[in-house]
Amino acid sequence: MNSIPELGKEELIDLLNRCWMTHDGVWFYHCFQEFGIEKANRLNKAAIKSLAPIEIERIRQALGIDEKIGHFQALKEFFERATPLFIPSFMNVSMSFPRKNVLHWAFEPNQCFAFKGIKRIGAIDQYECGVIYRLACWFDSLGLQYGIMPSIDKCQMLVGGTCSGDFEFIFP
């Protein structure tokens, strides 16, 4: 039997995220097959919302962040440190902070991993985006106030082949 190969940090993060996202996709597929798209969407969002506070707490512990995120610079630093752990390159999305209090996301055209998977199972026309919803739930778990433009209900890639938008944060 061979020993476990030495993986670099990026390779390990990629492997673990691919396994997690595959599990998530297969779970969604089986919910869709068993219950239909409406219940699969509802269960997916419930699972994401329940998981977010646990993820955020684990991220905070792993990064050694105890203080409340009470201003934009703290959010930016937190997100920039967490992003390499949870948003690897295969997800085909870029995240940036183009101006104060704004986080911008942009997927490569027709390359969102969730869009491709949900399209493959034949449910893209009724899929409610779980990817951006996950980020929103993270921000909720951090106790942040924000607005999202555009709305994240339906898959944006279905209509125009692109998905991009902004979280605009409100700090006291």
Side-chain angles (χ1 to χ4, degrees):
M1 178 180 253
N2 293 335
S3 63
I4 298 173
E6 289 296 319
L7 297 176
K9 182 171 76 172
E10 289 80 20
E11 293 170 308
L12 182 58
I13 290 169
D14 185 77
L15 172 65
L16 294 173
N17 274 286
R18 283 180 188 272
C19 289
W20 171 243
M21 290 298 104
T22 300
H23 171 275
D24 185 56
V26 170
W27 176 88
F28 188 93
Y29 173 73
H30 285 284
C31 286
F32 167 64
Q33 291 289 14
E34 184 76 19
F35 306 116
I37 189 62
E38 186 177 306
K39 282 188 180 179
N41 280 326
R42 190 168 51 247
L43 289 169
N44 190 42
K45 286 184 170 182
I48 290 167
K49 189 172 188 170
S50 297
L51 180 60
I54 298 165
E55 284 184 308
I56 287 298
E57 183 57 31
R58 288 177 179 167
I59 294 167
R60 290 172 72 98
Q61 287 178 4
L63 298 178
I65 298 172
D66 295 325
E67 67 274 0
K68 182 180 182 334
I69 296 177
H71 55 86
F72 180 66
Q73 188 60 35
L75 169 63
K76 184 177 175 186
E77 289 172 11
F78 172 83
F79 197 79
E80 286 174 342
R81 291 179 63 201
T83 294
L85 300 173
F86 292 91
I87 308 174
S89 62
F90 77 83
M91 290 184 174
N92 300 309
V93 65
S94 62
M95 302 279 182
S96 62
F97 295 92
R99 61 189 183 279
K100 186 175 181 181
N101 295 342
V102 174
L103 168 63
H104 179 76
W105 80 85
F107 284 89
E108 293 176 23
N110 294 306
Q111 294 302 309
C112 170
F113 67 98
F115 166 75
K116 292 192 295 186
I118 300 296
K119 185 177 176 184
R120 192 174 15 238
I121 67 171
I124 195 63
D125 58 328
Q126 295 177 346
Y127 174 65
E128 296 175 10
C129 179
V131 179
I132 302 304
Y133 183 74
R134 183 180 182 199
L135 291 175
C137 288
W138 281 2
F139 300 140
D140 291 342
S141 295
L142 288 167
L144 301 176
Q145 293 182 6
Y146 59 89
I148 304 174
M149 283 301 293
S151 170
I152 57 166
D153 294 333
K154 297 291 181 184
C155 178
Q156 289 184 18
M157 258 187 212
L158 175 63
V159 177
T162 61
C163 176
S164 64
D166 297 317
F167 283 91
E168 186 162 353
F169 297 92
I170 303 158
F171 290 99

